[in-house]
Amino acid sequence: MTAETATTAARTWTPRIAAQLTVLAAAAFIYVTAEILPVGALPAIARDLQVSLLAVGTLLTWYALVAALTTVPLVRWTAHWPRRRALVFSLVCLTVSQLISALAPSFAVLVVGRVLCAVTHGLLWSVIAPIATRLVPPSHAGRATMSIYVGTSLALVVGSLMWGWRLAAVCITVAAAVVTVAARLLLPELVLSAEQLECVGRRARHHRNRALIVVSLITMVGVTGHCVSYTYIVVIIREVVGVRGTSLAWVLAAYGAAGVLAVGLVARPLDRRPRGAIIFCMAGLTAAFVVLTALAFGGHRTATTLLVGIGAIVLWGALATAVSPMLQSAAMRNGADDPDGASGLYVTAFQVGIMAGSLGGGLLYERSVALMLTASAALMGVALAGMAANRHMLDVAATSSRDS
């Protein structure tokens, strides 16, 4: 490390900036925990509110639909706000939504709480990564983005071990309120400059940005492939890998823990060699689905297939978590004049992928788990091919500046 590099690193990771990035990571953690809450609590919610499992399962689909429909309009509506205000607004809505969910006397009221959470989901994910990149020099933008995604990985770990859905909603409410106050006190206001204001809101031209659209479409295909199987990951671990009982929860926790490690390992390569890092992770993710597909069609369960299956699940968790911020960084680099709007288009594509994947996964699951995994492997392969064919779009130099 040269003296100049060491000086830059020391100046970048000051205690104040570290605290600010920690607040952003905590916001990501809380929002994702709130989003995936129904996944591990389907039976409990259905029993408590006296509705069917299918009805509770639709909470995820409708959440993704609402988020997909509201992200771009809300990002445009708030485009002229200081970025801190947009983030705090999202966190206030999250806090209120979780309070409603915790106290919900009926399924209809729970739906209202989920909708309020979903409405500002896209806004938060559109501004949180650009805020992180504005806190550091352009050379550290990838690492700043990765740092906030540690929160999403931890959410997967906590979500897999969560108990008592109302208690969980209460805890999320309190945590969201604390993070809202912390964001208001610790983050700079981040007012947009006159030059930046010329490119946001209705003046944004992201629909004409071919590179940004291609990255978003590749994201949508990849997320669809992931969610086709992720929606039924518990079934895959039980029936394909062969892990049952209490051990299943620990495999889910390992899935999330692998993501925590992965975002740390790929943070520096994302700044230095983004194209290679993204393609490497997508190739590994495709390989994980291919292995699980082979196990699903194989049928025989041995100690070797058990270890291979668990390894594939852990690899899936590591790389699926790492790829998300990589693609969001690519979207922001290709829409550097308005990274919030570019991030909004990426988030919309991501939510459409979640919705399509959960619906498609349900249809395929009724026929065969093996076919479901085959579809995931095929779609991930298509996304990988799209990245390889457009790899120049993944290496665009970051041009964002540090604001205060």
Side-chain angles (χ1 to χ4, degrees):
M1 179 182 289
T2 64
E4 182 180 356
T5 304
T7 302
T8 301
R11 187 172 63 248
T12 300
W13 307 117
T14 63
R16 180 173 180 79
I17 290 178
Q20 292 168 342
L21 292 175
T22 299
V23 169
L24 296 177
F29 166 76
I30 295 166
Y31 227 112
V32 173
T33 303
E35 179 186 8
I36 67 174
L37 176 60
V39 173
L42 285 179
I45 294 174
R47 183 172 57 252
D48 191 18
L49 300 181
Q50 298 182 346
V51 294
S52 68
L53 285 173
L54 181 61
V56 180
T58 61
L59 289 175
L60 294 176
T61 303
W62 286 110
Y63 187 102
L65 176 61
V66 171
L69 292 176
T70 58
T71 295
V72 172
L74 197 55
V75 168
R76 288 198 170 193
W77 179 56
T78 60
H80 294 77
W81 290 8
R83 298 297 79 197
R84 184 182 65 190
R85 184 192 301 174
L87 177 67
V88 169
F89 173 72
S90 300
L91 291 172
V92 168
C93 289
L94 170 64
T95 304
V96 174
S97 74
Q98 293 308 293
L99 181 60
I100 293 173
S101 298
L103 302 177
S106 66
F107 183 69
V109 176
L110 178 61
V111 169
V112 171
R114 294 285 296 176
V115 167
L116 178 58
C117 184
V119 164
T120 53
H121 176 100
L123 176 61
L124 179 131
W125 282 106
S126 297
V127 302
I128 196 169
I131 287 175
T133 61
R134 288 184 175 113
L135 296 174
V136 300
S139 59
H140 289 66
R143 275 163 279 188
T145 302
M146 280 296 188
S147 69
I148 63 174
Y149 270 84
V150 171
T152 68
S153 307
L154 292 173
L156 294 175
V157 178
V158 173
S160 65
L161 300 175
M162 192 176 292
W163 67 94
W165 73 274
R166 287 191 188 274
L167 176 60
V170 170
C171 292
I172 295 172
T173 301
V174 174
V178 171
V179 172
T180 301
V181 174
R184 177 64 180 80
L185 295 177
L186 293 179
L187 293 176
E189 192 174 12
L190 294 172
V191 178
L192 299 182
S193 66
E195 182 180 357
Q196 290 171 322
L197 290 172
E198 289 294 322
C199 303
V200 302
R202 295 182 178 180
R203 298 177 180 178
R205 292 293 181 267
H206 294 311
H207 60 286
R208 298 180 183 177
N209 187 331
R210 179 181 176 276
L212 176 58
I213 291 173
V214 170
V215 170
S216 298
L217 288 175
I218 290 173
T219 297
M220 184 176 66
V221 173
V223 172
T224 301
H226 163 73
C227 288
V228 161
S229 294
Y230 178 71
T231 307
Y232 298 93
I233 188 172
V234 171
V235 177
I236 293 171
I237 294 173
R238 186 173 59 240
E239 297 183 6
V240 176
V241 179
V243 177
R244 300 174 182 274
T246 56
S247 298
L248 194 150
W250 290 106
V251 175
L252 283 174
Y255 176 101
V260 176
L261 295 175
V263 293
L265 291 175
V266 301
R268 189 180 295 271
L270 180 58
D271 279 323
R272 296 183 174 182
R273 296 176 296 276
R275 177 173 58 187
I278 295 175
I279 292 178
F280 173 80
C281 287
M282 279 301 299
L285 195 52
T286 304
F289 279 117
V290 170
V291 170
L292 289 171
T293 301
L295 292 177
F297 279 107
H300 299 292
R301 300 290 175 266
T302 66
T304 300
T305 60
L306 176 66
L307 291 176
V308 170
I310 293 175
I313 292 291
V314 171
L315 182 64
W316 177 8
L319 299 183
T321 305
V323 163
S324 296
M326 287 180 167
L327 290 173
Q328 187 168 15
S329 294
M332 289 189 296
R333 287 195 299 270
N334 281 286
D337 54 343
D338 177 20
D340 302 66
S343 190
L345 186 61
Y346 161 86
V347 171
T348 299
F350 200 100
Q351 292 300 318
V352 170
I354 292 176
M355 183 173 58
S358 60
L359 291 175
L363 295 174
L364 291 170
Y365 171 69
E366 292 181 353
R367 299 187 60 184
S368 166
V369 174
L371 287 178
M372 185 176 71
L373 285 165
T374 301
S376 288
L379 288 169
M380 207 61 66
V382 171
L384 174 60
M387 290 179 185
N390 298 278
R391 55 187 179 274
H392 60 283
M393 297 179 183
L394 306 176
D395 250 351
V396 180
T399 58
S400 59
S401 60
R402 183 173 177 172
D403 300 329
S404 58

